[in-house]
Amino acid sequence: MSGGEKIRGFGPGRRALLGAAATLLPMLAPALVRAQQTPPPPPRQAPGPRRPPVAEPGLPPVVFVHGNGDSSALWINDLWRFEANGYRRNQLFAIDFTYPSARRDDAKPEPFRSSTDDQMKELAAFVTQVRAATRRRRVALVASSRGGNAVRNYLKNGGGAEFVSHAVLCGVPNKGIVISDTLLPGSEFNGAFPFLKGLNAGPDDLIAGVEMMAIRSDKLDKYAQPDGRFIGAPGKPTGVGFDATELRGAKNVTLDGLDHREVAFHKLAFAAMYEHIAGKPPASMFIAQEPLPVLNGKVTGIADGLYTNIAVSGAEVEIYEVDAKIGERKSAVAVHRKTTGEDGMWGPYIGRSDMNYEFVLRMSAQPVTHTYRSPFLRSSDVVHLRPAQFAKGDESAGAVVAISRPRGYFGVGRDKFSLDGKMPSGINDGVPGASTGKLAFDAQPRTVMAVFNNETIPTRTWPAKDNHLVIAEFLN
């Protein structure tokens, strides 16, 4: 590999704002109208040799592309850090794929799942909208995990190279999570099948005119492992190694000690992606605080057991200020209450950057979800809400409290974390591979403290028999 660079992590210390295409369209409407009113260009001459792209002044707009089953909400810290280093909010965008979960066999349609072609088309349409809104010819793409498959497909097969200046692929399974005729047959993540074989054809993974970079873990990416433990085949060889996320011929940055998600959402990952796009290191990796952040986001739902990024209307959202030490509500009256319309948006709400919050989500045929959050340091339009789900056995508990870390996994021995002072169930040892854990409690209302490294979130139990679930969600 050429251009390899290694950055050592800081151990346990870790830590769009315009969101999805659905919420982006109203903002883009004036630009699209102007585009429709522009006289058509004169007929094009016969194509000649392709010219190198003309450099545009200033930094390119950035489009963030989430991974499998995820949403744009995961990019909140990266968005904040780009802002803190001079990017304007109207230069930062994050897509929400309609059906974020991959098909098990890319060639076979499955309800509520997407193919590689589906995602490429959605990304291409989103980039077109961003270019119209910003009046810029080219954008930078930053992708996590499966999102990088969409980016590579768009650049190589969807005509995207003409409109992209930089591409940063974070924890993307470029070689596959497996190379096998029998494990995960037909999967877009299998390097032995057509999708990745096509992307990886040729002597390197470079795209002419696009500055390419991959950010990878040293040995802690659960999807770049020689053993099949994380793909349901423990003890069987995957055919890939720790370097499965590298790009041949591109700049490859290794972040020691970080996991599959952290190589996109950790502050060291931000520093690498920012320097690649801006051509200089960030002035700061810390998030500049706003005293009165304006918060908003979308309520999305579930179909056939899979999360989608489709807006849900008729959902009821309440926000309560809670005591930072014991999690109790400061008032019985919500500081914000809204029933979502067709766009699914639950805000806006002007909060306080020194306040802990409880979000309560009620929607048809789903559990009442109480999500406890630590303070929001800046404004955001990607504070999306999804309902929690009961697992087998939860119904017999008095109360269930989950600890959630969407932007990374819990590393036993690497991180300091607990729920009510105990190890939550569902967290594996070895290579970090779980972003959630939980414990059951009796029905008596009480405070439960959730801890992850230097962040503590107090929660309160709610009765499972009345269809309530509780989540402590960490930003770091």
Side-chain angles (χ1 to χ4, degrees):
M1 302 298 171
S2 67
E5 178 180 345
K6 178 166 284 196
I7 299 176
R8 299 199 176 274
F10 291 165
R14 37 201 97 233
R15 278 287 335 155
L17 276 145
L18 302 168
T23 61
L24 180 64
L25 288 175
M27 184 274 292
L28 294 176
L32 298 178
V33 170
R34 287 193 294 272
Q36 292 169 352
Q37 293 172 345
T38 302
R44 296 181 62 183
Q45 301 296 320
R50 184 174 175 182
R51 299 177 180 177
V54 177
E56 295 180 285
L59 297 177
V62 182
V63 175
F64 295 90
V65 187
H66 66 75
N68 196 44
D70 292 332
S71 78
S72 61
L74 270 65
W75 294 108
I76 188 169
N77 289 331
D78 290 292
L79 291 163
W80 282 344
R81 289 190 169 101
F82 268 86
E83 286 182 23
N85 282 275
Y87 258 85
R88 300 189 304 274
R89 285 181 183 160
N90 62 6
Q91 293 177 288
L92 301 169
F93 302 81
I95 189 172
D96 276 315
F97 289 112
T98 305
Y99 297 113
S101 296
R103 293 176 178 177
R104 282 163 283 203
D105 184 328
D106 191 46
K108 297 179 180 179
E110 287 187 83
F112 314 116
R113 293 177 180 265
S114 56
S115 68
T116 54
D117 191 57
D118 294 333
Q119 289 221 317
M120 181 185 72
K121 289 176 179 177
E122 277 199 70
L123 178 60
F126 192 83
V127 169
T128 297
Q129 294 165 359
V130 169
R131 291 175 54 237
T134 59
R135 299 188 177 185
R136 296 294 296 267
R137 178 168 177 77
R138 309 181 82 202
V139 304
L141 300 178
V142 178
S144 168
S145 193
R146 186 194 183 201
N149 283 356
V151 168
R152 294 185 69 197
N153 198 16
Y154 173 54
L155 294 177
K156 188 166 186 175
N157 303 316
E162 184 177 357
F163 308 116
V164 176
S165 60
H166 302 75
V168 182
L169 306 185
C170 310
V172 174
N174 293 307
K175 296 180 179 68
I177 65 176
V178 65
I179 301 176
S180 170
D181 293 331
T182 57
L183 298 175
L184 306 184
S187 168
E188 70 175 81
F189 305 116
N190 190 334
F193 281 81
F195 175 70
L196 280 180
K197 287 182 74 173
L199 287 185
N200 294 330
D204 58 48
D205 299 319
L206 300 178
I207 300 293
V210 182
E211 296 291 330
M212 304 284 290
M213 184 174 82
I215 304 177
R216 54 162 287 199
S217 174
D218 52 349
K219 295 182 178 181
L220 294 187
D221 189 322
K222 66 184 285 188
Y223 294 122
Q225 297 293 317
D227 183 86
R229 173 186 185 186
F230 291 106
I231 60 170
K236 295 184 178 180
T238 61
V240 302
F242 301 130
D243 65 349
T245 55
E246 287 197 352
L247 287 169
R248 295 171 299 162
K251 181 178 183 180
N252 292 286
V253 175
T254 301
L255 301 180
D256 284 4
L258 301 192
D259 62 45
H260 175 70
R261 291 192 174 187
E262 289 172 333
V263 294
F265 308 119
H266 191 277
K267 62 185 177 183
L268 291 180
F270 158 74
M273 66 180 67
Y274 180 89
E275 182 170 359
H276 183 68
I277 295 169
K280 61 181 181 180
S284 173
M285 289 192 289
F286 296 97
I287 298 167
Q289 189 169 328
E290 295 176 342
L292 299 174
V294 180
L295 305 175
N296 205 347
K298 182 172 60 176
V299 175
T300 58
I302 294 178
D304 197 23
L306 296 170
Y307 282 112
T308 77
N309 287 321
I310 299 174
V312 172
S313 62
E316 297 180 4
V317 175
E318 296 175 330
I319 302 176
Y320 294 88
E321 295 181 343
V322 299
D323 187 286
K325 293 183 178 180
I326 59 174
E328 287 189 348
R329 295 174 180 177
K330 290 179 173 288
S331 170
V333 179
V335 293
H336 178 78
R337 178 182 286 111
K338 183 177 179 180
T339 300
T340 59
E342 291 187 1
D343 63 1
M345 302 302 287
W346 57 259
Y349 166 66
I350 300 175
R352 289 171 45 187
S353 59
D354 61 352
M355 182 60 65
N356 285 55
Y357 290 104
E358 174 196 352
F359 287 74
V360 183
L361 172 62
R362 292 180 174 88
M363 51 190 293
S364 176
Q366 300 297 337
V368 180
T369 303
H370 302 256
T371 304
Y372 290 81
R373 303 284 298 258
S374 52
F376 291 88
L377 301 181
R378 294 181 65 83
S379 299
S380 177
D381 280 342
V382 295
V383 187
H384 302 326
L385 302 178
R386 289 172 163 179
Q389 296 293 286
F390 280 101
K392 185 177 181 180
D394 286 349
E395 66 279 355
S396 62
V400 176
V401 179
I403 183 171
S404 175
R405 190 180 173 229
R407 297 160 193 87
Y409 298 126
F410 294 104
V412 176
R414 182 192 67 166
D415 303 315
K416 175 187 174 183
F417 61 93
S418 64
L419 192 58
D420 199 40
K422 307 176 184 67
M423 169 70 78
S425 65
I427 309 296
N428 65 278
D429 59 3
V431 173
S435 62
T436 61
K438 66 181 180 180
L439 287 177
F441 298 89
D442 59 35
Q444 184 67 28
R446 53 168 293 197
T447 296
V448 174
M449 303 299 291
V451 175
F452 174 73
N453 291 334
N454 61 349
E455 190 176 358
T456 299
I457 298 177
T459 72
R460 297 286 294 176
T461 58
W462 290 83
K465 68 179 180 61
D466 295 333
N467 204 32
H468 292 264
L469 287 172
V470 177
I471 302 173
E473 180 177 323
F474 292 93
L475 273 173
N476 287 332

